[in-house]
C-alpha cells in the first residue's frame, strides 16, 4: 500500500486520538455515539451535523447584521426575535450535548471553543433573565456579543488553523518586532514633542506618541500635523518607515508557513480542534517531513552522482 493511500487513515487516527485524550471519549453507549457525531465527521450523521451547524451559524450572524439596520429591524422585529430565540435554543442544545458526551466536560467548557459556544448563547439569556441590565449597560452591547458565533466556524476552517499555527510558531519573532516598533514610536514621539511643542498641537508626549503610531501605521488621521520643516522631515521618515513596518510581520508569518509546508504538523491548541466538513485532517505523526535540499546541496549531490557514474 502506498503512502498516499495510508496517509488519510493515519491522519484520521492521529486527530481522533488527540480529541479522545483531551476530552476523554466515552468507552461505549449513547454518549460515545453522540461524541462521534458531534466531534467527528467520519460518518454520514457527523457530516450532516456539521453542515447543519454551519448553516445555522451563518444564518444567525446574518440575522444579527440585518437587525442592526433600523429600517429592516422596524419591519421584521417579530421575525428577528423569533429567529434569535430559535438560534439560541439550538446553540444551547448543542452546548449541552457537547458537555454531555465527554467525560471531561469542564475541560471542554474552559477550552477556546467551549467559551465561544457559551458566548453564542449567553447574551439572549442575559437580556431575558435580567432586564435590569439595561440600566447598567446598553443592551446592544449584549446583542453584539452574538457576533462571536462566527468564531464557531473556525473549527471547520483549514486556513484558520494553519494561520494561527504559523503565528503561534512566530510569536517570539513578532514579540521582538513589536518591542522594536514600540521603542521607535516612543523615541520619535518624544522627539516630535520637543520639535513641534504644544503650540502646534503636540501638547504632551502621549499625544505625540499617538501621532507617531498613526503615522507609522500609515493611517494619518490629520488631526495632528507638523508645522516646522524639521517636524515634516521626521514625519516623512516615519511614513517611509511605516511601509517597512507593515511588511515585516507578514514576512515573518509567511516564512513560517513556507518553512512548515503543507505536510508539517500544526502544533499548539489549534491542532487539537475538532474536525469538520471544511477541516483538513492533520498529517500523520509517523510520516517524516520531506527534507528540502538547498541549491548548494543539490549541486553536490549531482556532482557525486556523476562521479559515481564514471
Amino acid at each position: 500500500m502506498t503512502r498516499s493511500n495510508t496517509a488519510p487513515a493515519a491522519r484520521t487516527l492521529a486527530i481522533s486520538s488527540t480529541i479522545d485524550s483531551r476530552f476523554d471519549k466515552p468507552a461505549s453507549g449513547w454518549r460515545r455515539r453522540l461524541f462521534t457525531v458531534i466531534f467527528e465527521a467520519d460518518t454520514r450523521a457527523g457530516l450532516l451535523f456539521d453542515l447543519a451547524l454551519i448553516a445555522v451559524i451563518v444564518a444567525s450572524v446574518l440575522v444579527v447584521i440585518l437587525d442592526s439596520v433600523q429600517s429592516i429591524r422596524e419591519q421584521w422585529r417579530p421575525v428577528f426575535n423569533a429567529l434569535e430565540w430559535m438560534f439560541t435554543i439550538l446553540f444551547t442544545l448543542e452546548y449541552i450535548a457537547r458537555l454531555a458526551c465527554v467525560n471531561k466536560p469542564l475541560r471542554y467548557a474552559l477550552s477556546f471553543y467551549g467559551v465561544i459556544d457559551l458566548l453564542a448563547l449567553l447574551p439572549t439569556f442575559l437580556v431575558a433573565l435580567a432586564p435590569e441590565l439595561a440600566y447598567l449597560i446598553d443592551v446592544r452591547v449584549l446583542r453584539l456579543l452574538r457576533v462571536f458565533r462566527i468564531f464557531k466556524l473556525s473549527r471547520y476552517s483549514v486556513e484558520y488553523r494553519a494561520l494561527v499555527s504559523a503565528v503561534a510558531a512566530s510569536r517570539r519573532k513578532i514579540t521582538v518586532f513589536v518591542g522594536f516598533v514600540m521603542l521607535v514610536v516612543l523615541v520619535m514621539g518624544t522627539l516630535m514633542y520637543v520639535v513641534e511643542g504644544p503650540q502646534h498641537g503636540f501638547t504632551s508626549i502621549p499625544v505625540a506618541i499617538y501621532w507617531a503610531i498613526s503615522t507609522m501605521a500609515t493611517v494619518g488621521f490629520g488631526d495632528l500635523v507638523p508645522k516646522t520643516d524639521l517636524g515634516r522631515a521626521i514625519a516623512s521618515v516615519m511614513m517611509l518607515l511605516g511601509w517597512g513596518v507593515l511588511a515585516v510581520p507578514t514576512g515573518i508569518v509567511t516564512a513560517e508557513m513556507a518553512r512548515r509546508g503543507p505536510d508539517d504538523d500544526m502544533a499548539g491548541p489549534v491542532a487539537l480542534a475538532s474536525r469538520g466538513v471544511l477541516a483538513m485532517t492533520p498529517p500523520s505523526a509517523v510520516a517524516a517531513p520531506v527534507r528540502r535540499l538547498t541549491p548548494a546541496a543539490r549541486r553536490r549531490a549531482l556532482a557525486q552522482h556523476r562521479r559515481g557514474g564514471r
Side-chain angles (χ1 to χ4, degrees):
M1 185 178 294
T2 62
R3 177 184 175 183
S4 60
N5 293 332
T6 59
R11 294 172 181 176
T12 301
L13 181 60
I15 189 64
S16 298
S17 60
T18 301
I19 298 174
D20 297 350
S21 61
R22 190 181 185 195
F23 301 133
D24 196 2
K25 183 177 181 178
S28 61
W30 64 270
R31 295 173 65 237
R32 182 181 179 87
R33 294 193 295 270
L34 186 61
F35 185 98
T36 303
V37 172
I38 293 179
F39 287 95
E40 300 175 2
D42 298 333
T43 63
R44 179 177 177 82
L47 179 64
L48 293 177
F49 176 83
D50 290 346
L51 288 174
L53 186 58
I54 291 173
V56 172
I57 294 170
V58 174
S60 65
V61 174
L62 181 60
V63 168
V64 174
I65 295 174
L66 294 177
D67 188 51
S68 65
V69 182
Q70 183 176 359
S71 59
I72 299 178
R73 182 175 64 251
E74 293 176 352
Q75 183 178 359
W76 298 92
R77 183 187 298 271
V79 177
F80 287 160
N81 290 337
L83 289 175
E84 171 57 25
W85 275 109
M86 182 187 71
F87 293 140
T88 301
I89 292 173
L90 290 176
F91 288 135
T92 303
L93 294 176
E94 179 218 355
Y95 184 70
I96 295 175
R98 289 183 182 274
L99 294 178
C101 69
V102 295
N103 290 332
K104 298 178 180 178
L106 182 60
R107 178 173 295 182
Y108 175 77
L110 297 179
S111 66
F112 172 78
Y113 292 114
V115 174
I116 293 300
D117 291 340
L118 183 61
L119 288 176
L121 55 94
L122 192 60
T124 305
F125 287 116
L126 286 178
V127 176
L129 299 178
E132 62 274 10
L133 288 176
Y135 299 99
L136 302 177
I137 187 172
D138 195 339
V139 179
R140 287 178 298 177
V141 175
L142 296 177
R143 295 175 67 86
L144 288 177
L145 286 177
R146 294 177 295 167
V147 178
F148 278 95
R149 293 170 181 172
I150 199 65
F151 288 104
K152 289 167 67 67
L153 288 176
S154 62
R155 74 182 77 200
Y156 305 102
S157 175
V158 179
E159 291 77 10
Y160 169 83
R161 297 208 303 272
L163 179 60
V164 173
S165 179
V167 172
S170 308
R171 60 185 178 274
R172 296 184 62 182
K173 297 178 182 178
I174 294 178
T175 301
V176 173
F177 168 75
V178 171
F180 168 76
V181 171
M182 293 176 62
L183 178 63
V184 172
V185 166
L186 177 62
V187 172
M188 300 299 283
T190 304
L191 182 60
M192 184 61 72
Y193 169 73
V194 174
V195 172
E196 293 292 329
Q199 64 273 19
H200 293 154
F202 295 83
T203 56
S204 64
I205 292 180
V207 172
I209 291 176
Y210 154 77
W211 169 87
I213 293 175
S214 63
T215 303
M216 179 171 285
T218 68
V219 177
F221 294 107
D223 51 349
L224 288 175
V225 180
K227 301 297 192 299
T228 64
D229 293 337
L230 181 57
R232 290 170 180 170
I234 296 175
S236 300
V237 173
M238 290 290 293
M239 286 183 281
L240 293 175
L241 187 61
W243 286 100
V245 165
L246 292 177
V248 171
T250 305
I252 292 175
V253 177
T254 303
E256 179 62 28
M257 295 180 69
R259 185 189 68 82
R260 296 168 69 85
D263 295 330
D264 289 346
D265 193 8
M266 293 181 293
V270 179
L272 299 177
S274 59
R275 291 174 293 119
V277 179
L278 304 180
M280 177 183 66
T281 52
S284 172
V286 179
V290 179
R291 183 177 180 181
R292 298 175 177 84
L293 294 178
T294 62
R298 191 177 296 109
R299 289 194 296 269
R300 288 196 298 269
L302 182 59
Q304 293 178 357
H305 176 71
R306 289 176 178 175
R307 289 195 298 268
R310 294 175 183 174

